Amino acid sequence: MELAGKHLLIASTETCSGKSAILLGLADKLQQQGVEISYSKPMGNFYERRESTTEADVALIRDYLKLPPAQVFAPLVNADTASLIGRLEGEDTQDYRSLLQQQASAAPAGLLCFEGGSNLWEGHSYQLSVPLIAETVDAKVLIVMRYHSLRSIEQLLAAREALGDRLLGAVINDIPTSDLATVQDLAVPALEKKGIPILATIPKNRTLRSVSVGELVKRLDAEVLCRPDRLGLLVESLSIGAMNCTAALVYFSKAHCMAVVTGGDREDIQLAALETSTQCLILTGHLAPQPYILRRAEDLEIPVISVDFDTLRTVEIVEEAFAQVRIQEPVKVKIMNQLMAEHFDFPRFNQLMGLV
């Protein structure tokens, strides 16, 4: 089957590494250069609502890049347990490689960007893992790796071995400022010698790792007690109010753009939180706060939400939200595009992809 245009697969070594953000920044720049972009995400895994048929990442990229329907391809399968059971038990016998080839053939000339699963191997049961997608549609692969420590680069060495010459290059993302020099002076030259072009080393940005108050409301199934108009505020850190008021003021003063979790009966902690850099007050135990707390929160434009969970479970859910952060807010897209403009080597990418 003849495949039209050029094909790029954006992949990652682990979930929430920044694939969609990098893809947006890259595609936006390429559109400015006059390259026609199409988009496919073969493995769907993030739907806003359970009954939704539109994958959130697909909708974001479609809308931001203003892609017409003919240049956007919906997921072929959803990466959930029910789908996998059906595949393993033989109920799902679909030839997904054939469907993938059909997508590639239907795309107009230009660059068709595929987005891989949460890691290199997700989707293997459907023949939709990163190596198999790349082989099926003859795509070059750009790996996005979220930096944790210098040991993280071993993931790129393993990716090079798995992908061979299909590996176009890599982006090392979310690097703490304190580690930037080590990455650029030690890791990058070593990886380049191993045949892995490093197209960007992107520093950590707190806003990109933030979660909106609205997202926390959804995950906690919370009741919004005041300022429902401010659910778009971004939370960058989590603080737990379980100490005395004096200690709380010192503790909260060190945090930035935080969500504070405390009991609904702790008026002293609630007031202390409202006077510091708090984006959201989360009250546990489904206990109603005093009216003067809500009046103060209204004046300061800080949302207050109430949950049925105890503090421990609430904290667990909020931490899960931070671990699965997405790039759905417009401010995050803008920041990522700025970081790409500053740190991504677009001329080298164009040369490697044969776009020049």
Side-chain angles (χ1 to χ4, degrees), residues 39-334:
Y39 172 74
S40 168
K41 186 176 183 182
M43 294 289 298
N45 60 3
F46 185 70
Y47 293 81
E48 289 287 357
R49 299 176 304 278
R50 289 184 179 180
E51 69 274 13
S52 175
T53 57
T54 303
E55 218 268 356
D57 287 341
V58 174
L60 171 70
I61 290 170
R62 176 199 64 205
D63 296 344
Y64 183 80
L65 297 177
K66 297 180 174 59
L67 299 179
Q71 290 168 224
V72 182
F73 300 95
L76 299 174
V77 66
N78 190 30
D80 60 9
T81 302
S83 298
L84 181 58
I85 290 173
R87 187 69 170 180
L88 295 176
E89 290 182 343
E91 295 176 8
D92 177 7
T93 59
Q94 181 65 254
D95 181 357
Y96 288 103
R97 296 188 80 171
S98 177
L99 294 179
L100 193 65
Q101 288 177 325
Q102 291 174 29
Q103 285 189 351
S105 297
L111 182 65
L112 173 53
C113 296
F114 294 90
E115 184 172 350
S118 60
N119 55 55
L120 295 183
W121 309 111
E122 182 180 61
H124 188 79
S125 297
Y126 311 93
Q127 295 185 302
L128 293 175
S129 64
V130 166
L132 290 177
I133 292 174
E135 178 184 322
T136 300
V137 299
D138 190 23
K140 291 290 187 179
V141 181
L142 177 64
I143 294 282
V144 180
M145 186 201 80
R146 185 181 176 191
Y147 184 86
H148 298 287
S149 71
L150 193 58
R151 292 191 297 273
S152 301
I153 68 168
E154 292 190 327
Q155 300 173 46
L156 293 180
L157 297 173
R160 177 72 173 87
E161 186 174 335
L163 296 167
D165 291 339
R166 293 196 185 279
L167 181 60
L168 178 85
V171 170
I172 305 178
N173 194 24
D174 204 32
I175 308 169
T177 303
S178 58
D179 288 349
L180 267 173
T182 299
V183 172
Q184 293 170 347
D185 298 339
L186 178 60
V188 171
L191 291 167
E192 292 274 359
K193 287 180 181 178
K194 296 289 187 180
I196 305 173
I198 304 301
L199 297 175
T201 53
I202 299 179
K204 181 184 288 291
N205 181 282
R206 290 190 305 185
T207 302
L208 291 179
R209 305 309 303 179
S210 65
V211 178
S212 71
V213 176
E215 177 68 15
L216 295 180
V217 169
K218 284 193 296 184
R219 287 175 176 263
L220 292 164
D221 193 20
E223 178 185 0
V224 181
L225 302 180
C226 75
R227 301 313 304 237
D229 59 319
R230 298 282 283 169
L231 300 186
L233 290 175
L234 295 177
V235 175
E236 297 178 7
S237 62
L238 172 66
S239 296
I240 305 168
M243 67 289 285
N244 63 50
C245 184
T246 302
L249 280 169
V250 175
Y251 176 46
F252 295 155
S253 67
K254 297 177 181 179
H256 182 73
C257 293
M258 62 184 168
V260 174
V261 178
T262 192
D265 56 350
R266 292 296 307 271
E267 292 95 345
D268 56 341
I269 299 296
Q270 295 161 22
L271 278 177
L274 292 174
E275 300 305 324
T276 52
S277 182
T278 298
Q279 302 286 75
C280 174
L281 192 56
I282 305 173
L283 307 183
T284 61
H286 205 68
L287 298 171
Q290 293 297 319
Y292 70 89
I293 295 290
L294 292 181
R295 287 196 297 271
R296 184 60 176 155
E298 286 279 359
D299 291 342
L300 295 170
E301 301 185 350
I302 298 174
V304 178
I305 66 177
S306 176
V307 300
D308 290 331
F309 304 111
D310 61 22
T311 298
L312 178 60
R313 181 58 186 144
T314 301
V315 169
E316 289 175 345
I317 294 172
V318 174
E319 288 179 340
E320 288 172 1
F322 278 112
Q324 300 168 3
V325 67
R326 318 291 299 190
I327 186 167
Q328 298 295 318
E329 297 82 6
V331 66
K332 291 186 179 181
V333 176
K334 182 178 180 180

